[in-house]
Amino acid sequence: MSKTLTPRQREILKFISQHIDQHGFPPTRAELSKHFGFRSPNAAESHLRALDGKGVIQLERGRSRGISLTPLAGAHLPEPPRMELPLVGRVAAGSPVLAQENVEDALRVDPALFRPRPHYLLRVEGMSMRDAGILDGDLLAVHRTPEARDGQIVVARIEDEVTVKRFRRDGHRVQLLAENPDFAPIEVDLRHQALAIEGLGVGVIRHRLDA
Amino acid sequence: MSKTLTPRQREILKFISQHIDQHGFPPTRAELSKHFGFRSPNAAESHLRALDGKGVIQLERGRSRGISLTPLAGAHLPEPPRMELPLVGRVAAGSPVLAQENVEDALRVDPALFRPRPHYLLRVEGMSMRDAGILDGDLLAVHRTPEARDGQIVVARIEDEVTVKRFRRDGHRVQLLAENPDFAPIEVDLRHQALAIEGLGVGVIRHRLDA
DNA sequence: GCATTCACTGTATATATTTACAGTGAACCT
DNA sequence: AGGTTCACTGTAAATATATACAGTGAATGC
């Protein structure tokens, strides 16, 4: 649970981050004060203590420029072009796909490889998409969106179950098609059953080939 | 031409880099002196001036910890684990797979995702490996090695043609098997034909899914 | 044999930096 | 109306830090 920052604290944090980018080291209290127009270095000190208390920075006592950003800071900063994608394994029933408990790892794969840009990788279970070249254990790159068009490969949630299928819609009747003759299509009537599109499959990574 | 550093200067540079990694900011002269056992802060100062002069760091006068690494520093530091893999498209006849002319791009994919570690990505052409979930246009992560065992997916070169197939060997008779009944196995007699194993397929990346 | 470079010691000092303490005023909650 | 939080002012002082100047000794190049 990342505690929320005040708007002012966000500005301070942003400046610290920028200063590190530009100079290679964090600012002093005086430099912070100069930038924000504080007449007292204590204004900066107080902000730093607050940011430290909220866990987004870490202060080292007695050392000049003893400020470092913690991983928590990332959540409050205009995010730098991400180089990692979270890997989601089995999705616990009822939890959001990207809930902490579902995230197994972060893989260093450039999201720019895929279009549209994926938000996470989902480990595929089962062979229902075999003929689309998506096999058991493959990682599906998923772009989060609730919209899907006919023929797209979607990550869908039906009654708390998350599944990967090809999408087809006809009015309030939706078909989720497997790409494997051994699996029957799933038919959903939107008037009677809940169906949520979690996202679109935009790519596949297979990180082991069996002999 | 990056000027060469003395061994001692390399040590200093390495320590500065490590300090930044660990603390988020560069060391002071005193901290450098403490680490290296200097009894005078001027020993550190001199080293910093030298490193500045050689362009691997940049000093900001009058500011505590006013040290930043320049791009030149990278050449003198133990290189950070590579994050990119070259993408090889169509391989020109007779040229090494990784020849400049065959490399189309460098993709930011962590090689550590795959085992053993791949050396490049090869764009697969054709559907001969369809039933192994390797489709036309897929990128095959390839680990360079001339050794292959039965059942492994290999990148092979026969008479200047590069192809991806499943490997099977029986004495001096090698079979290269497609994973698609529409394609006949390729039979090679090592006594009469040249066969080179370029590498092993260790993973697949599909960066577009068609609707 | 002498100049040069490298890697330091030793001392000193101005100044950069952190950090404590004592307040103020506005906004918000109840 | 009173308490709390937020965002500051203002002052002071200890101490952390950069940096100048004057040396030493060993190794290297010519």
Side-chain angles (χ1 to χ4, degrees):
Chain A
M1 290 307 88
S2 74
K3 285 160 197 159
T4 64
L5 303 185
T6 68
R8 196 54 161 166
Q9 283 165 358
R10 257 193 300 280
E11 288 184 69
I12 307 278
L13 183 63
K14 185 178 152 201
F15 176 71
I16 294 169
S17 172
Q18 281 175 181
H19 193 284
I20 292 171
D21 281 349
Q22 292 193 307
H23 294 91
F25 45 86
T28 63
R29 276 71 168 163
E31 285 160 356
L32 274 160
S33 299
K34 187 179 174 196
H35 180 264
F36 287 99
F38 304 154
R39 305 217 196 161
S40 165
N42 190 45
E45 178 73 24
S46 308
H47 278 302
L48 291 176
R49 295 275 172 90
L51 290 171
D52 189 16
K54 290 182 180 177
V56 294
I57 66 171
Q58 204 165 320
L59 297 177
E60 292 192 35
R61 279 184 23 213
R63 318 182 81 168
S64 70
R65 305 179 192 274
I67 303 169
S68 53
L69 300 182
T70 69
L72 280 179
H76 305 278
L77 290 168
E79 59 181 321
R82 246 189 135 16
M83 282 295 304
E84 294 185 337
L85 285 173
L87 169 59
V88 172
R90 185 182 289 274
V91 177
S95 68
V97 174
L98 276 174
Q100 191 108 33
E101 69 206 80
N102 299 326
V103 174
E104 289 180 4
D105 203 351
L107 302 187
R108 291 187 297 185
V109 173
D110 187 357
L113 257 176
F114 307 97
R115 286 179 177 270
R117 172 171 281 255
H119 297 99
Y120 58 93
L121 300 172
L122 177 69
R123 188 188 304 281
V124 174
E125 294 184 7
M127 278 300 192
S128 70
M129 297 303 283
R130 186 194 64 195
D131 295 346
I134 302 173
L135 312 182
D136 185 56
D138 282 5
L139 311 181
L140 185 72
V142 182
H143 174 81
R144 289 190 82 170
T145 171
E147 313 276 319
R149 286 198 299 255
D150 270 17
Q152 288 182 323
I153 287 174
V154 299
V155 176
R157 184 191 293 264
I158 327 165
E159 314 283 355
D160 272 1
E161 276 285 326
V162 170
T163 183
V164 176
K165 292 288 179 297
R166 198 175 287 281
F167 180 86
R168 195 163 305 274
R169 176 170 182 175
D170 189 359
H172 34 250
R173 187 166 145 269
V174 168
Q175 278 191 308
L176 297 176
L177 306 167
E179 288 273 344
N180 183 335
D182 299 347
F183 291 77
I186 298 173
E187 306 243 350
V188 176
D189 188 321
L190 295 177
R191 291 168 302 185
H192 304 122
Q193 268 183 297
L195 174 77
I197 301 298
E198 291 280 351
L200 248 42
V202 294
V204 174
I205 295 176
R206 184 173 310 134
H207 62 137
R208 30 158 242 239
L209 297 186
D210 11 76
Chain B
M1 282 315 82
S2 70
K3 286 161 196 159
T4 63
L5 304 184
T6 68
R8 195 54 159 170
Q9 284 165 357
R10 255 193 302 279
E11 288 184 70
I12 308 278
L13 182 63
K14 186 177 152 202
F15 175 71
I16 294 169
S17 171
Q18 281 175 179
H19 194 282
I20 292 172
D21 282 348
Q22 292 193 308
H23 294 91
F25 45 86
T28 62
R29 277 70 169 163
E31 284 160 357
L32 273 160
S33 299
K34 188 179 175 198
H35 181 263
F36 288 101
F38 304 154
R39 306 221 198 153
S40 166
N42 190 46
E45 179 74 23
S46 308
H47 278 301
L48 291 176
R49 294 275 172 89
L51 290 171
D52 189 17
K54 290 182 179 177
V56 293
I57 67 171
Q58 203 164 319
L59 296 177
E60 292 191 37
R61 279 185 21 213
R63 317 182 82 168
S64 69
R65 305 180 190 274
I67 304 169
S68 53
L69 300 182
T70 70
L72 281 178
H76 304 279
L77 290 167
E79 66 176 317
R82 247 193 130 20
M83 284 289 306
E84 295 183 336
L85 284 172
L87 169 61
V88 173
R90 186 181 289 274
V91 177
S95 69
V97 173
L98 276 173
Q100 190 108 35
E101 68 205 83
N102 299 325
V103 174
E104 289 181 4
D105 203 352
L107 302 186
R108 290 187 296 186
V109 173
D110 187 356
L113 258 176
F114 308 96
R115 285 176 178 275
R117 172 171 282 255
H119 297 98
Y120 59 92
L121 300 171
L122 177 70
R123 188 187 304 282
V124 175
E125 293 184 7
M127 279 298 193
S128 71
M129 296 303 283
R130 187 194 64 196
D131 296 345
I134 302 173
L135 311 182
D136 185 56
D138 283 3
L139 311 181
L140 185 73
V142 181
H143 174 81
R144 290 189 81 172
T145 168
E147 313 276 319
R149 286 198 297 256
D150 270 18
Q152 288 181 325
I153 288 174
V154 298
V155 177
R157 185 191 292 264
I158 328 166
E159 314 283 354
D160 270 2
E161 277 283 326
V162 169
T163 184
V164 175
K165 291 289 179 298
R166 199 176 286 280
F167 180 86
R168 198 164 303 276
R169 177 170 181 174
D170 189 1
H172 35 250
R173 187 168 145 266
V174 167
Q175 279 191 308
L176 297 175
L177 305 167
E179 289 272 346
N180 183 335
D182 299 345
F183 291 76
I186 298 173
E187 307 241 351
V188 177
D189 188 322
L190 295 177
R191 290 168 302 184
H192 303 122
Q193 268 183 296
L195 174 78
I197 302 299
E198 291 280 351
L200 248 39
V202 295
V204 174
I205 295 176
R206 185 174 308 136
H207 63 135
R208 32 158 242 238
L209 297 186
D210 11 74

